[in-house]
Amino acid sequence: MPNGAQALMKTLVDGGIEVCFSNPGTSEMHFVAALDSEPRMRAVLALFEGVATGAADGYARMADKPAATLLHLGCGLGNGLANLHNARKGKVPVVNIVGDHATYHVKYDAQLQSDIETVARNVSPNFVRTPARTEDLCRDAAEAIRVARGYPGQVATLILPADVSWGEGGVPCQVPAAEQPPAADDDRVAALAQVIRAGRNVALLLGGRALREADLLAAGRIAAHSGVKLLAEVFPTRMERGAGLPAVERIAYMAEMAGVQLAQFEELILVDAKAPVSFFAYPGKKSYLVPDTCRVHTLAGADQDTTASLEKLVAALGAGATPAELQPAQRPARPRGKLTAAKVCKAVGHTLQEGTILIDEAITSGLMLNLMTSGAPRHDLLTLTGGAIGQGLPNAIGAAIACPARPVLALIGDGTAMYTIQSLWTMAREQLNVTSIIFNNASYSVLNVELERVGAAGAGPKARSQLDLRGPVLNFAQLAQGMGVHGVRVSTAEDLLKALEYAQSHPGPHLIEALVPESLSGAKRKLLPYLLRALPNLPQPVASALKRKLAP
């Protein structure tokens, strides 16, 4: 009869979990040993727990099913918490396995003893379970898988005591079949069709699963038939985009710009999205960004079938025969000369390959990325759903493992890259087809912008030093080489294009360090708060034009 760990391993793979991103310790050794009992389970080692959790997030976004993590006690869970937070906010399924001391050892309060359940509930509010007996382990694991992969996707945490893992008498369990989510009911669809027919300014705000191809085409037919505007949430979990799909305008990160985008609408219909709010609170500014004159409706929530709901709305409007307006194929020209962040984005748009998984954690340096890639060949975009930086490089690992035939291109800021730089080692170990572009502007540029926006008084040299990465300037190409990844440093557009083309013709992990000035610096940064404050008071056409100039 198998022990608990061996039975757990079989339950996981029978339940569709084929990859485990791990950073184990002593309490997890029986789980580690059980990996060899199950050839269907791929084990991927991470040198930091935040890499394991972020990789599980990226894998699930692209595989449409959960992976497992293996973390060591409460401290390991704490180290991985930021990227589990991002997964929770993105409604991404993860089965999060956290080892614990043996049940009888807990009373001794050993050095690594902690309250794991309390920590876990921050990112796994609907499922945290600690089986007390080996006989209960697989039943709880099957329930964790069921919860994680349901609608909406979520993090389900299984705490695994060491003696439950090594105990004899483990019994593998089957995972219950997933329930099909319901579509919006007929009355709601009919009411929203009436809202759209009324002739007011209407926008569909798409999020979550509603940013996949089938949903986009249905929403595009509604837009073409009824003049509805298509918007996307600020940070999509996964957005399919490029030539041949309807163009969708993402809500801006900065609240003042988002306010300009939303000001014209009288009706806002949510599809697996929430009404826009400001990322942070700012003195004297609104947190809720929907205009007071705009009514908010919900077609489908995160626990509903967005595709079926949109198709029902298409039918109710009689838009089934109306073709969606599709983004034409177009690329920017080759950039030239001294490198800037905008030229990096232009080079990406110029060279982007069909089927690329594009990961955007470029923060301020990626302001032009949407514009430069809008007409590029079809690709998927993954973004920083929960705002906890350090997501991009681990997401690239998971995406590459989920889709080994597709290239992965990750655009990462220099500050955020250092949160999970250990990802490069895993990319090299697994020989993943990932190209990472690190924007090295030697600054926490977004925080310099925020310092101006919040109006913090008295910021002098000591304050500015907390946002400056120039002492010393990081050398990412050398860091990459030290972890087994081909790395180059570039400062001109010509060298960047050469590096991109080399990476595309030599599959495997590559890092391109782009030396660029800050996108928003000096006079631009000082002027920005005044421009943002002025936006609500400008005529709508002027405000919209200014917003497009600042953040296309």
Side-chain angles (χ1 to χ4, degrees):
M1 185 173 286
N3 65 22
Q6 292 163 342
L8 172 59
M9 199 67 64
K10 180 166 175 52
T11 298
L12 292 172
V13 293
D14 286 348
I17 295 183
E18 302 167 328
V19 182
C20 178
F21 298 97
S22 78
N23 186 276
T26 302
S27 299
E28 295 77 48
M29 287 298 103
H30 287 82
F31 184 102
V32 171
L35 288 167
D36 285 295
S37 71
E38 184 44 78
R40 294 173 292 170
M41 177 66 80
R42 178 175 181 176
V44 179
L45 177 62
L47 299 184
F48 174 62
E49 294 89 341
V51 175
T53 55
D57 177 7
Y59 174 90
R61 293 186 193 210
M62 295 308 304
D64 281 327
K65 64 180 182 179
T69 65
L70 180 65
L71 309 178
H72 180 47
L73 304 173
C75 296
L77 173 60
N79 284 342
L81 212 62
N83 279 328
L84 290 172
H85 163 81
N86 290 328
R88 179 176 71 88
K89 288 292 188 178
K91 303 186 286 288
V92 178
V94 176
V95 175
N96 185 43
I97 300 171
V98 184
D100 196 6
H101 292 292
T103 55
Y104 61 82
H105 192 68
V106 169
K107 65 183 179 182
Y108 298 109
D109 193 24
Q111 283 86 344
L112 277 169
Q113 182 65 42
S114 63
D115 184 352
I116 300 174
E117 289 198 5
T118 295
V119 177
R121 289 195 192 282
N122 287 280
V123 294
S124 185
N126 298 316
F127 188 96
V128 177
R129 195 167 294 178
T130 307
R133 306 182 309 155
T134 299
E135 295 91 327
D136 300 331
L137 171 58
C138 291
R139 182 196 64 204
D140 290 347
E143 181 65 8
I145 297 169
R146 186 193 70 79
V147 169
R149 72 185 188 189
Y151 273 61
Q154 57 188 291
V155 179
T157 298
L158 181 70
I159 299 170
L160 179 60
D163 55 334
V164 172
S165 184
W166 74 54
E168 297 298 322
V171 180
C173 292
Q174 293 297 311
V175 179
E179 296 179 7
Q180 286 300 112
D185 64 57
D186 294 344
D187 289 344
R188 176 172 296 186
V189 171
L192 292 178
Q194 277 300 114
V195 167
I196 292 171
R197 288 195 195 98
R200 290 157 63 83
N201 289 332
V202 182
L204 278 176
L205 177 55
L206 309 174
R209 291 178 170 88
L211 290 168
R212 307 288 186 90
E213 179 179 13
D215 295 61
L216 291 171
L217 291 172
R221 288 195 290 274
I222 294 169
H225 180 271
S226 303
V228 169
K229 176 74 173 179
L230 300 185
L231 300 173
E233 58 190 347
V234 183
F235 291 119
T237 301
R238 175 182 171 187
M239 181 177 181
E240 297 185 31
R241 63 193 300 270
L245 285 174
V248 182
E249 182 180 333
R250 280 170 63 187
I251 298 290
Y253 162 75
M254 291 186 179
E256 300 90 340
M257 295 184 187
V260 170
Q261 290 172 284
L262 294 167
Q264 61 187 293
F265 299 113
E266 299 164 289
E267 311 281 356
L268 182 65
I269 300 173
L270 308 177
V271 189
D272 196 2
K274 61 181 287 187
V277 298
S278 176
F279 225 69
F280 301 102
Y282 297 93
K285 296 178 183 177
K286 290 183 176 182
S287 293
Y288 185 69
L289 303 180
V290 180
D292 295 339
T293 54
C294 180
R295 295 191 302 171
V296 177
H297 315 267
T298 299
L299 172 64
D303 59 349
Q304 293 178 284
D305 186 330
T306 56
T307 309
S309 299
L310 284 164
E311 290 290 358
K312 286 178 75 171
L313 186 55
V314 167
L317 291 166
T322 305
E325 185 177 341
L326 305 179
Q327 176 71 48
Q330 55 187 20
R331 290 184 183 269
R334 291 175 72 90
R336 298 180 180 180
K338 187 176 179 181
L339 209 53
T340 64
K343 288 181 183 178
V344 175
C345 296
K346 191 174 186 181
V348 168
H350 182 77
T351 59
L352 197 71
Q353 296 173 291
E354 180 84 30
T356 295
I357 302 167
L358 181 61
I359 295 171
D360 177 15
E361 200 184 5
I363 319 295
T364 56
S365 293
L367 288 172
M368 301 298 289
L369 184 64
N370 270 349
L371 178 65
M372 295 298 180
T373 57
S374 59
R378 287 279 299 277
H379 59 279
D380 284 88
L381 175 70
L382 311 187
T383 72
L384 185 63
T385 48
I389 64 175
Q391 179 188 33
L393 291 174
N395 259 198
I397 292 171
I401 288 173
C403 303
R406 297 177 61 177
V408 178
L409 179 61
L411 274 61
I412 312 291
D414 51 358
T416 188
M418 291 305 294
Y419 278 54
T420 46
I421 195 69
Q422 308 91 334
S423 302
L424 299 175
W425 183 87
T426 300
M427 291 177 192
R429 177 183 173 97
E430 300 292 328
Q431 280 300 293
L432 302 177
N433 190 19
V434 176
T435 300
S436 306
I437 300 178
I438 310 294
F439 290 86
N440 191 346
N441 58 21
S443 172
Y444 279 125
S445 186
V446 70
L447 295 183
N448 277 298
V449 172
E450 294 289 7
L451 185 68
E452 303 288 348
R453 289 180 70 206
V454 300
K462 192 186 297 184
R464 297 285 180 188
S465 72
Q466 302 307 296
L467 313 178
D468 180 12
L469 303 181
R470 286 176 293 181
V473 174
L474 293 156
N475 190 315
F476 288 96
Q478 289 184 359
L479 287 168
Q481 290 163 12
M483 285 184 269
V485 171
H486 173 254
V488 296
R489 205 176 213 196
V490 298
S491 58
T492 68
E494 288 80 5
D495 284 346
L496 171 62
L497 287 164
K498 182 179 177 182
L500 279 169
E501 289 158 358
Y502 179 86
Q504 289 175 353
S505 61
H506 295 78
H510 299 269
L511 182 139
I512 304 170
E513 180 183 6
L515 298 175
V516 296
E518 290 184 69
S519 297
L520 297 169
S521 60
K524 277 186 185 177
R525 191 160 65 215
K526 291 188 179 300
L527 184 60
L528 182 63
Y530 298 100
L531 290 174
L532 294 175
R533 281 198 292 272
L535 281 175
N537 303 313
L538 295 173
Q540 179 67 29
V542 176
S544 295
L546 186 56
K547 183 268 165 193
R548 287 194 296 273
K549 180 72 173 174
L550 293 168

